[in-house]
Amino acid sequence: MANRRAAPDGTKPDGTTRDGTVHVVGAGLAGLSAAVRLVGAGRKVVVHEAARHAGGRCRSYFEPALGLRIDNGNHLVLSGNKAAFAYLDAIGARDKLQGPDHAEFAFADVATGERWTLRINDGRLPWWIFSGERRVPGSKATDYLALAKLLTAKPGQTITDVIGAHGALYDRLWQPVLLSALNTDPKEACAVLAGAVVRESLALGGKACRPMVAADGLATAFVDPALAHLEARGAPVRFGQRLRRLVLADDRVAALDLGDDGQIELRAGDGVVLAVPPQVARMIVPDLTAPGEFRAIVNAHYKVAATGVPPLQGVVGGVVEWLFAFPDRLSVTISAGDRLLETPREELAKLIWREVAALTGMSAEAMPPWQIVREIRATFAATPAQEKLRPGARTRWPNLWLAGDWTATGLPATIEGAIRSGHT
């Protein structure tokens, strides 16, 4: 959009004008980042959100079972995520993320009790792999060279097609890290997407790999400052407005049908950014090709303060995959958690707590107050087949664009991908 010239009357090739209004449908991170970018360019913006809150799958809420404000899921941002930090800078929230000064990742094996810390040096030359104290126990420096193959992966290949699925390095690093990045088992996950993650993180050295966490909650970092930023610039966010239908006429979006909330007629210079989940977009946009297969994420929260526990810890050898330690709770994330969707909640909470207790030295019998949060459609399945279905931002209607981590961002469904889609 920004690189295309406007006509003498101010009309852009996409049919919008600077005096026109851009209607952003959806106040998740993709929609919020699009809105923030647009108001920064001087455009008039209105955001419509079906729910009573913003943030989509990246939100915070008060959980009565714990008496705490928690996130629906645990997310982290890497220090090399340029779009995410550009967004945080725009809304004045960069300081809401916290992390180590260097790329360090604590790991534990609940099956053997072994612990280690992965320490990646800051520069691009990966000398850390030659240090037994910095790399994964049981791995050799030459084992790490296989990861470079992902940078030249071909469409249709899975991660394990490229790097195999055996050895200590795969079991203790590549499998848990790439599983969490793509939320899809590496044996079926798209190698091209994995290569994109590596290209923007490990390939750039430790400076791009520092794990950054919103210690005070996702909403405090990514959502509330964005809402304040938009409000201060006259861009309203209208909650409880569900888009029922796009009224299409003369090869453009002519109106937004909001059901009981009425219909918004679009003027000649207006535009629409549709930033909704793919299953919703497919119902609204005729003949839209989009991912239709999804993977779940399971999160467990325990109201307990733990001392001596790393803020972030990778876990192998059990059910737990990542353990986050906050001042008032311990939280667990399990990617590609579809296998756990039918497990009774209390049984699952006890199963996870036994591993958390072993990791933290707490009593496995004295389980604290807990909550299980299962996001059934957390992300699209990052398989080669689903990757082919991701649409670009532009549609055949000149004043309609798509945004969301499920669009063709070049990345898996991550915070960085969602924000990048909004910027696009």
Side-chain angles (χ1 to χ4, degrees):
M1 280 170 53
N3 294 327
R4 292 184 285 173
R5 294 180 179 273
D9 65 357
T11 302
K12 295 175 177 291
D14 53 45
T16 69
T17 66
R18 185 158 294 278
D19 292 332
T21 297
V22 180
H23 295 269
V24 177
V25 181
L29 288 191
L32 290 176
S33 65
V36 167
R37 193 81 158 191
L38 285 162
V39 297
R43 303 302 297 270
K44 296 178 181 178
V45 175
V46 177
V47 181
H48 309 270
E49 169 55 49
R52 297 293 176 179
H53 56 78
R57 287 169 289 126
C58 185
R59 66 185 185 275
S60 306
Y61 68 98
F62 181 78
E63 175 49 64
L66 301 177
L68 300 174
R69 191 169 189 250
I70 65 172
D71 297 328
N72 67 312
N74 300 304
H75 298 263
L76 63 83
V77 172
L78 294 180
S79 52
N81 290 160
K82 294 181 179 180
F85 280 101
Y87 169 77
L88 292 171
D89 285 340
I91 62 176
R94 177 181 280 256
D95 63 340
K96 301 300 182 182
L97 295 189
Q98 299 176 10
D101 294 332
H102 302 283
E104 297 185 349
F105 295 84
F107 278 87
D109 188 328
V110 292
T112 66
E114 192 171 3
R115 298 173 185 265
W116 65 94
T117 300
L118 192 73
R119 295 184 174 90
I120 305 170
N121 62 280
D122 289 346
R124 292 195 180 201
L125 185 65
W127 58 259
W128 63 276
I129 67 175
F130 298 101
S131 170
E133 295 180 351
R134 287 176 170 264
R135 65 177 184 248
V136 174
S139 68
K140 305 186 300 293
T142 53
D143 296 339
Y144 294 78
L145 300 179
L147 194 66
K149 297 177 183 178
L150 286 176
L151 301 179
T152 57
K154 296 178 175 59
Q157 289 184 307
T158 68
I159 292 173
T160 54
D161 285 341
V162 177
I163 65 171
H166 57 274
L169 186 58
Y170 177 81
D171 294 338
R172 293 185 159 191
L173 185 59
W174 301 149
Q175 196 275 345
V177 167
L178 295 176
L179 172 64
S180 64
L182 279 71
N183 195 35
T184 304
D185 190 317
K187 294 179 180 178
E188 62 173 355
C190 177
V192 171
L193 289 177
V197 172
V198 173
R199 187 175 293 109
E200 297 189 13
S201 55
L202 272 175
L204 299 178
K207 284 187 176 180
C209 298
R210 292 187 298 118
M212 311 296 290
V213 176
D216 294 327
L218 295 170
T220 301
F222 291 98
V223 181
D224 296 343
L227 296 177
H229 181 87
L230 294 173
E231 181 181 10
R233 287 154 182 79
V237 180
R238 298 172 179 171
F239 294 105
Q241 290 197 339
R242 183 179 300 277
L243 178 64
R244 304 294 182 180
R245 183 173 64 98
L246 293 172
V247 180
L248 303 170
D250 298 327
D251 296 326
R252 62 183 293 273
V253 179
L256 302 178
D257 182 355
L258 301 175
D260 292 341
D261 290 315
Q263 186 165 292
I264 298 176
E265 305 294 331
L266 269 62
R267 299 173 299 168
D270 293 348
V272 178
V273 175
L274 190 63
V276 298
Q279 61 271 27
V280 176
R282 286 175 17 168
M283 292 189 293
I284 293 174
V285 181
D287 303 319
L288 176 65
T289 298
E293 186 180 341
F294 303 89
R295 293 291 182 269
I297 294 179
V298 174
N299 294 276
H301 304 274
Y302 299 92
K303 184 179 180 180
V304 61
T307 58
V309 179
L312 171 67
Q313 185 171 195
V315 183
V316 299
V319 175
V320 174
E321 293 172 0
W322 295 94
L323 176 63
F324 293 75
F326 298 99
D328 54 3
R329 70 190 187 279
L330 292 171
S331 295
V332 165
T333 292
I334 303 169
S335 300
D338 301 77
R339 67 193 185 280
L340 302 174
L341 294 181
E342 300 301 323
T343 305
R345 288 165 43 80
E346 187 165 354
E347 178 183 334
L348 183 57
K350 290 179 179 178
L351 172 65
I352 294 173
W353 177 251
R354 283 196 294 270
E355 293 188 5
V356 171
L359 292 165
T360 60
M362 296 184 180
S363 169
E365 303 303 320
M367 186 170 68
W370 56 273
Q371 182 58 282
I372 299 292
V373 180
R374 295 188 259 212
E375 290 279 353
I376 297 176
R377 294 185 172 186
T379 70
F380 73 91
T383 64
Q386 293 296 299
E387 169 65 11
K388 291 180 181 179
L389 301 178
R390 299 172 76 183
R394 294 179 183 173
T395 70
R396 70 174 186 261
W397 296 276
N399 66 337
L400 174 66
W401 296 268
L402 303 174
D405 60 14
W406 55 274
T407 61
T409 66
L411 291 173
T414 59
I415 285 178
E416 175 72 2
I419 292 174
R420 186 176 297 183
S421 79
H423 286 184
T424 300

